[in-house]
């Protein structure tokens, strides 16, 4: 077999996928975006993260049910094509590609913001370009090397947050680093109450909260390269909700107890402020390095996602065939290079409008994520209905509370879209996002990407493994 015809390789072990799933959920949304969310909701932001986390858990279980049943590289794009239709798969795949491009712009923007701490006179766009080049180079290595890199990046974030929670708890209960004076939890309610901005503040924060969770669905994309997807994917998904409680709610509980909520976010990352309040003045630079690696890690995962999704689209005949080729090491090089080229636009934005980039891209990313999560839920509903009663009973990894959980999650996503339309700062996403989908639809019909015939969706775990990490070799036939 020629090098260009090689498929993706199952080089990701259980520890890689577990830490990748955790790392994807701990990025700019927690370290940088949490400051903006706290200003909106005050201590009530913890309720926002719990509600959002519960919905994300339902979405991930819906995806996991399909990913374990049929572990393929295209994940939700492939499932949308099989159970909703070719147009749905096409829109979902290209939308997710665009989503991660925009998200990576947020990540490299965060890198530039953090680098300003050390180099205040250096233009942001230089650091954004350096971050893009470095993470792109990592993604051009074999997938196992990428997995190792992401494993250690994620571990840095996890250890840091655990240390902050432990140290902060000591400060709250025993006065550690505060001359032995216990701070207690009074800051949670003495500055305007637990909900200082009322229910509106909690609602306003949901858009930023959901952006923080963007990336957890990447677990589905690892199915095509997981050594043992039937075990590693359920393990990773089942721990999502508990990770959210520990790393989001736990960290924010400590931060909001130590510092009055209305002072957080006014002087940079709340994580840096918390460690400084613990009395570790020299640790500010170290913490800045940690949050820098968090942003780089998320960008790294984003380039991974865009490359694999573009590879899947090419395999389905919905992108140029050149993007469906891989190196002998199983890396979709052409797909990754195109994604990096598109990301140069993000570097340009950092040059032109550095102060507005973060709000713009988080809003657009949230719209793209809501579309992806909504498609996952609808696809899972149709997938479950396509099965006979014995087949449903035989599912190895079933979504709980079906079908009510799916409908509740869909209603919540509709609420988030409504909130984005209500608030002026996030309306840009409801212009750019739908316009992108309309453009994709026009291109779909103009280029005759609809297949002449509809293939039956593959059935079962063994069928997914038989496909391996690569999808069907023959592209979907085009209309004549």
């Amino acid at each position: 077999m020629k090098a260009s015809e090689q498929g993706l390789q199952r080089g990701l072990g259980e520890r890689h996928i577990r830490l990748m799933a955790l790392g994807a959920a701990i990025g700019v949304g927690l370290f940088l975006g949490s400051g903006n969310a706290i200003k909106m909701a005050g201590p009530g932001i913890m309720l926002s993260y719990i509600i959002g986390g519960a919905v994300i858990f339902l979405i991930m279980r819906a995806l996991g049910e399909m990913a374990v049943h049929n572990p393929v590289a295209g994940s939700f794009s492939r499932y949308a094509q099989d159970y909703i239709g070719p147009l749905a798969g096409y829109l979902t795949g290209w939308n997710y590609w665009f989503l991660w491009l925009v998200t990576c712009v947020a990540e490299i923007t965060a890198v530039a913001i953090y680098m300003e701490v050390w180099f205040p006179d250096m233009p942001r766009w230089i650091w954004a370009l350096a971050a893009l080049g470095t993470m792109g180079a990592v993604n051009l290595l074999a997938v196992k090397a990428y997995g190792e890199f992401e494993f250690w990046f994620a571990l840095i974030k996890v250890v840091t947050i655990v240390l902050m929670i432990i140290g902060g708890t000591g400060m709250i209960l025993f006065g550690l680093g505060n001359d032995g004076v216990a701070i207690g939890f009074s800051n949670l309610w003495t500055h305007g109450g637990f909900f200082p901005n009322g229910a509106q503040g909690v609602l306003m924060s949901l858009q930023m909260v959901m952006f923080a969770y963007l990336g957890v669905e990447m677990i589905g994309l690892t199915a095509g390269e997981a050594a043992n997807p039937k075990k590693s994917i359920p393990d990773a998904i089942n721990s999502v909700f508990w990770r959210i409680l520990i790393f989001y709610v736990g960290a924010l509980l400590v931060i909001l107890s130590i510092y009055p909520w209305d002072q957080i976010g006014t002087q940079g990352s709340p994580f840096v402020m918390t460690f400084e309040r613990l009395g570790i003045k020299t640790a500010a630079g170290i913490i800045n390095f940690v949050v820098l690696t968090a942003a780089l890690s998320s960008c790294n995962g984003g380039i991974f996602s865009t490359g694999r999704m573009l590879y899947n689209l090419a395999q389905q005949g919905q992108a140029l065939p050149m993007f469906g080729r891989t190196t002998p090491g199983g890396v979709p090089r052409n797909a990754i290079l195109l994604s990096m080229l598109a990301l140069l636009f993000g570097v340009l934005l950092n040059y032109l409008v550095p102060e507005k980039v973060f709000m713009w891209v988080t809003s657009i990313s949230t719209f793209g994520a809501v579309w992806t999560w909504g498609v996952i839920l609808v696809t899972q509903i149709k997938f479950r209905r396509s099965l006979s009663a014995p087949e449903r009973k035989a599912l190895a990894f079933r979504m709980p509370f079906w079908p009510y959980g799916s409908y509740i999650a869909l209603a919540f996503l509709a609420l988030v879209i409504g909130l984005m339309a209500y608030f002026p700062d996030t309306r840009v996403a409801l212009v750019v996002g739908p316009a992108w989908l309309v453009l994709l639809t026009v291109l779909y019909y103009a280029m005759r990407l609809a297949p002449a015939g509809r293939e039956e969706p593959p059935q079962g775990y063994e069928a997914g493994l038989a496909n391996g990490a690569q999808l069907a070799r023959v592209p979907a036939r085009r209309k004549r």
Side-chain angles (χ1 to χ4, degrees):
M1 183 178 288
K2 294 179 182 178
S4 62
E5 296 175 351
Q6 298 276 353
L8 303 178
Q9 297 182 358
R10 294 191 180 273
L12 295 176
E14 291 178 32
R15 68 184 181 91
H16 295 135
I17 293 175
R18 191 175 294 113
L19 264 293
M20 284 171 65
L22 182 53
I26 305 175
V28 173
L30 176 59
F31 288 109
L32 184 60
S34 59
N36 294 327
I38 289 169
K39 284 190 289 186
M40 296 176 184
I45 190 64
M46 289 183 285
L47 178 61
S48 299
Y49 275 102
I50 291 172
I51 295 173
V55 172
I56 287 296
F57 175 72
L58 291 174
I59 294 169
M60 291 307 301
R61 285 297 298 259
L63 176 59
E65 180 176 287
M66 296 182 289
V68 172
H69 183 76
N70 181 31
V72 294
S75 190
F76 37 85
S77 172
R78 177 70 173 198
Y79 307 141
Q81 173 175 277
D82 290 340
Y83 297 102
I84 301 179
L87 177 60
Y90 164 84
L91 289 176
T92 302
W94 278 108
N95 174 73
Y96 196 69
W97 180 81
F98 180 66
L99 152 68
W100 267 110
L101 286 183
V102 177
T103 302
C104 282
V105 172
E107 306 295 352
I108 61 178
T109 299
V111 169
I113 291 172
Y114 290 130
M115 290 302 291
E116 278 188 332
V117 173
W118 294 317
F119 304 97
D121 299 325
M122 188 77 75
R124 285 187 184 178
W125 69 267
I126 293 178
W127 297 118
L129 182 62
L132 174 59
T134 304
M135 295 302 95
V138 169
N139 272 271
L140 291 172
L141 301 173
V143 67
K144 188 172 183 178
Y146 160 80
E148 285 293 334
F149 189 92
E150 196 60 23
F151 174 86
W152 291 107
F153 257 18
L155 196 61
I156 290 173
K157 293 185 283 188
V158 170
V159 170
T160 301
I161 295 175
V162 169
L163 289 177
M164 193 212 71
I165 291 175
I166 293 173
T169 301
M171 190 174 185
I172 293 168
L173 299 178
F174 309 111
L176 178 66
N178 195 46
D179 298 324
V181 179
I183 291 179
F185 297 96
S186 61
N187 276 328
L188 295 177
W189 57 81
T190 55
H191 299 274
F194 192 78
F195 299 104
N197 296 322
Q200 183 182 15
V202 175
L203 290 174
M204 285 177 62
S205 69
L206 285 177
Q207 179 262 326
M208 190 65 74
V209 165
M210 296 312 288
F211 170 75
Y213 292 141
L214 191 161
V216 293
E217 73 288 329
M218 191 172 69
I219 299 172
L221 290 180
T222 66
E225 293 169 274
N228 185 9
K230 196 170 185 178
K231 183 177 188 303
S232 57
I233 291 178
D235 287 349
I237 288 175
N238 280 334
S239 61
V240 165
F241 186 67
W242 301 112
R243 289 198 304 266
I244 287 168
L245 286 180
I246 294 172
F247 292 103
Y248 278 90
V249 181
L252 289 172
L253 175 63
V254 168
I255 290 172
L256 291 164
S257 297
I258 294 175
Y259 232 79
W261 71 269
D262 52 0
Q263 297 182 33
I264 294 175
T266 59
Q267 304 173 32
S269 167
F271 279 77
V272 175
M273 294 171 60
T274 301
F275 272 90
E276 287 181 339
R277 187 66 186 270
L278 280 168
I280 313 175
K281 301 295 183 181
T282 57
I286 298 174
I287 302 307
N288 197 63
F289 169 76
V290 172
V291 294
L292 180 65
T293 61
L296 288 172
S297 172
S298 295
C299 180
N300 194 31
I303 296 175
F304 171 88
S305 298
T306 55
R308 269 58 184 182
M309 189 56 74
L310 188 52
Y311 168 87
N312 168 70
L313 289 164
Q315 293 287 341
Q316 294 176 179
Q318 295 171 337
L320 293 175
M322 63 181 291
F323 299 122
R325 299 170 186 158
T326 62
T327 66
V331 176
R333 179 190 295 162
N334 294 337
I336 291 173
L337 289 175
L338 177 67
S339 299
M340 291 177 63
L341 183 63
L343 279 169
L344 287 175
F345 180 67
V347 176
L348 179 63
L349 284 178
N350 274 277
Y351 176 74
L352 296 175
V353 284
E355 302 305 322
K356 298 181 179 180
V357 172
F358 193 74
M359 178 57 75
W360 285 0
V361 297
T362 54
S363 299
I364 296 170
S365 295
T366 302
F367 174 84
V370 169
W371 170 275
T372 300
W373 296 334
V375 167
I376 289 172
L377 292 166
V378 172
T379 302
Q380 188 271 337
I381 291 172
K382 294 182 74 68
F383 160 73
R384 180 71 77 93
R385 288 176 177 171
S386 73
L387 302 178
S388 64
E391 287 173 331
R392 292 179 192 176
K393 189 174 181 180
L395 286 172
F397 189 57
R398 284 181 283 183
M399 181 183 179
F401 314 118
W402 188 87
Y404 306 108
S406 298
Y407 293 127
I408 291 172
L410 282 170
F412 179 83
L413 295 180
L415 171 65
V416 172
I417 291 294
L419 292 170
M420 293 174 69
Y422 180 76
F423 298 111
D425 287 343
T426 55
R427 283 179 194 155
V428 63
L430 300 185
V431 175
V432 176
W436 170 246
L437 293 177
V438 170
L439 174 61
L440 287 176
T441 303
V442 170
L443 291 174
Y444 178 81
Y445 288 108
M447 299 178 67
R448 299 181 178 181
L449 296 176
R454 179 103 177 263
E455 294 181 2
E456 288 299 317
Q459 296 294 320
Y461 173 75
E462 288 74 16
L465 286 184
N467 284 337
Q470 46 190 333
L471 303 177
R473 280 284 157 224
V474 182
R477 289 180 291 166
R478 301 184 181 183
K479 290 182 179 178
R480 297 294 182 187

